[in-house]
Amino acid sequence: MGEAITVTGDGQICTPKNPVIPFVPGDGIGPDIWVAAQKVFDTAVVRAGGGRAIDWLEIKAGEKALKETGDTLPEASLDAIRTYHVAIKGPLTTPVGKGIRSVNVALRRTLDLYACVRPVRYFPPVPSPVKHPEDVDMIVFRENTEDVYAGIEWPKDSPEAREVIALVEKLSGRKLREDSGIGIKPMSPFGSKRLVRMAIQYALDHSRTSVTLVHKGNIMKFTEGGFRQWGYEVAAEEFGDVTITEAELWEQHNGVMPAGKKLVIKDRIADAMFQQVLLNPSDYSVLALPNLNGDYMSDALAAQVGGLGMAPGANIGKGVAIFEATHGSSPKDAGQNKVNPSAVILSGAMMFEYMGWNDVAAMIRKAVAKAVQTRRVTFDLQAQMEGSTLVSCSEFGDEIAAAL
Ligand code: NAD
């Protein structure tokens, strides 16, 4: 019998030796990658020793939940995630059609998972479109609840859109085209600061050297510009003893980190940052971004190191975290035992690190690196990797488990 992970008042995660971890295999390719991943997780935990074991608890969400319960996200599943604090899931299909909610969005909203966290690093010899993918080693913290993704939109010609257009004219004197669709971009100090706070804390906990705030504050002064300002504020107010801004570092210390300071806080305008991650990726470590910038940046960075099949992620809130691959359920590949299970396996490594089982996390990452080096890989990598052999999803999972 497993026990629940607990979270202290100040947010510390306490993991028992035999934690209960809720999981959703997911839709489409989800069950294929989950079978491969669970085997890797269990083997890693046993090999790492200490008498630890996971008590896996399957919970329902997505297509399977809809068939069995009539609801894509049953309340019982949400309750289990709240109770056990840490969960892992496969991808869930969002049916196309009016009025059908995305389970992924509903999970983030209901549990207030305000940070989407995606580490991006290179596993040689995964095929990459750039010359030096090994220079990329970044953790992206994307704000998950605000910005144009808050879902406040009205279609063109709707009474609401017309009312907002009239109000905008009254308040600003600016005339918008009458048949415009309208979307609202809310960004708050609360939402921005808690995201930047998590990014800074992560950087300090993992001996990272910089946090970069990525924004379009030059154009959107009170939303994106606010994000930049509030980010610097949280750094100065809550971490002032160990952080220094890039401007201070150069203006007052000639670029040499003063004693006692550990972390440089800098900011970049989003368009320039897309150039920077290609031209000077080793200058960047932890990134904190508003929702839309973060969405674009995390996919662009994933492509830079070899694509979606290797990209892990997590959605994290206050005392609750769900780990998941960045890719979707790829229905066309479902049930064929062919896709790459690495993304969900690396998401598991993030989960173990979050639980404080750093030894297990490190073992899993090393094993994925070793397995890729054998060049016995799934189709997504095999097609472009010289001298490689095609293996199935389960064979690649076994390859990783054997490398543990
Ligand atoms: P997708 O990520 O499922 O597929 C995009 C491409 O990536 C496909 O060509 C696919 O073959 C490839 N791919 C994806 N995962 C792979 C893997 N593990 N190994 C090898 N190749 C892989 O994106 P999509 O087709 O836009 O979306 C399909 C469904 O997934 C939609 O219903 C969408 O809403 C959902 N989705 C869910 C999540 C989530 O659960 N977090 C995320 C994204 C999309």
Side-chain angles (χ1 to χ4, degrees):
M1 267 288 276
E3 288 172 64
I5 288 172
T6 52
V7 180
T8 62
D10 62 354
Q12 290 285 99
I13 311 290
C14 307
T15 306
K17 272 188 170 185
N18 52 347
V20 176
I21 300 192
F23 73 98
V24 185
D27 301 327
I29 56 173
D32 280 358
I33 56 175
W34 178 255
V35 170
Q38 194 179 348
K39 194 165 167 186
V40 170
F41 300 153
D42 287 333
T43 311
V45 170
V46 169
R47 296 237 170 117
R52 291 171 289 180
I54 306 282
D55 186 359
W56 298 106
L57 172 71
E58 180 167 354
I59 57 171
K60 293 185 176 75
E63 286 173 339
K64 192 170 172 187
L66 185 66
K67 252 187 231 144
E68 292 177 17
T69 70
D71 188 355
T72 51
L73 187 55
E75 201 50 43
S77 300
L78 288 165
D79 280 345
I81 298 170
R82 289 189 191 103
T83 303
Y84 296 109
H85 299 287
V86 170
I88 184 162
K89 66 179 269 296
L92 299 172
T93 302
T94 303
V96 182
K98 249 191 168 176
I100 300 179
R101 63 179 182 166
S102 153
V103 185
N104 297 304
V105 173
L107 268 172
R108 278 171 222 158
R109 288 234 173 104
T110 316
L111 298 171
D112 195 23
L113 304 174
Y114 63 84
C116 176
V117 184
R118 292 184 184 172
V120 194
R121 59 166 278 202
Y122 180 60
F123 290 93
V126 166
S128 151
V130 300
K131 280 189 190 148
H132 292 289
E134 69 281 2
D135 288 349
V136 177
D137 181 9
M138 297 181 215
I139 317 279
V140 177
F141 284 79
R142 165 188 170 195
E143 205 288 324
N144 235 352
T145 65
E146 302 196 322
D147 200 348
V148 284
Y149 287 66
I152 311 169
E153 283 197 299
W154 294 284
K156 78 177 187 76
D157 297 327
S158 62
E160 294 87 350
R162 285 181 185 269
E163 200 170 326
V164 175
I165 289 166
L167 183 66
V168 168
E169 187 175 351
K170 187 174 147 213
L171 294 177
S172 69
R174 301 274 298 277
K175 248 188 166 338
L176 302 180
R177 288 189 187 95
E178 257 184 34
D179 60 351
S180 301
I182 295 287
I184 304 278
K185 179 182 175 79
M187 284 170 59
S188 69
F190 174 81
S192 304
K193 282 187 172 180
R194 66 178 179 173
L195 185 272
V196 176
R197 184 179 298 119
M198 190 190 281
I200 293 177
Q201 191 61 58
Y202 178 94
L204 292 170
D205 291 347
H206 293 81
S207 307
R208 294 274 175 161
T209 50
S210 70
V211 172
T212 306
L213 311 167
V214 184
H215 59 88
K216 277 293 286 181
N218 54 331
I219 305 295
M220 293 166 269
K221 299 194 190 312
F222 305 119
T223 50
E224 302 263 334
F227 181 85
R228 172 185 179 277
Q229 178 193 330
W230 303 320
Y232 278 119
E233 278 173 13
V234 82
E237 287 162 7
E238 299 176 28
F239 302 93
D241 50 339
V242 285
T243 62
I244 183 168
T245 65
E246 185 179 40
E248 282 165 357
L249 181 68
W250 287 98
E251 283 161 18
Q252 296 168 22
H253 302 278
N254 213 14
V256 180
M257 198 75 151
K261 298 287 184 184
K262 294 182 176 152
L263 195 60
V264 180
I265 310 295
K266 47 190 176 182
D267 76 280
R268 295 289 180 272
I269 292 182
D271 40 338
M273 189 63 184
F274 275 92
Q275 295 189 338
Q276 283 296 307
V277 295
L278 286 167
L279 299 174
N280 303 307
S282 50
D283 288 351
Y284 300 94
S285 179
V286 174
L287 312 185
L289 310 94
N291 209 336
L292 180 62
N293 297 338
D295 194 1
Y296 296 156
M297 183 60 77
S298 34
D299 273 24
L301 281 172
Q304 208 165 316
V305 295
L308 280 177
M310 303 289 293
N315 289 294
I316 303 179
K318 196 171 172 213
V320 189
I322 301 181
F323 295 81
E324 63 173 338
T326 296
H327 61 72
S329 57
S330 194
K332 68 177 166 43
D333 303 316
Q336 297 173 44
N337 189 24
K338 66 182 264 202
V339 296
N340 189 344
S342 299
V344 74
I345 290 173
L346 291 168
S347 306
M350 287 177 77
M351 177 183 79
F352 288 120
E353 195 172 87
Y354 182 85
M355 289 161 51
W357 291 8
N358 293 345
D359 52 342
V360 180
M363 270 175 79
I364 292 173
R365 290 193 182 112
K366 251 192 191 159
V368 170
K370 255 177 153 176
V372 173
Q373 276 161 14
T374 64
R375 294 180 189 255
R376 291 170 40 75
V377 290
T378 45
F379 78 99
D380 51 317
L381 305 180
Q382 197 266 333
Q384 297 164 65
M385 203 188 273
E386 254 176 55
S388 59
T389 309
L390 180 66
V391 299
S392 66
C393 175
S394 55
E395 284 170 331
F396 195 50
D398 289 345
E399 205 70 67
I400 297 170
L404 282 163

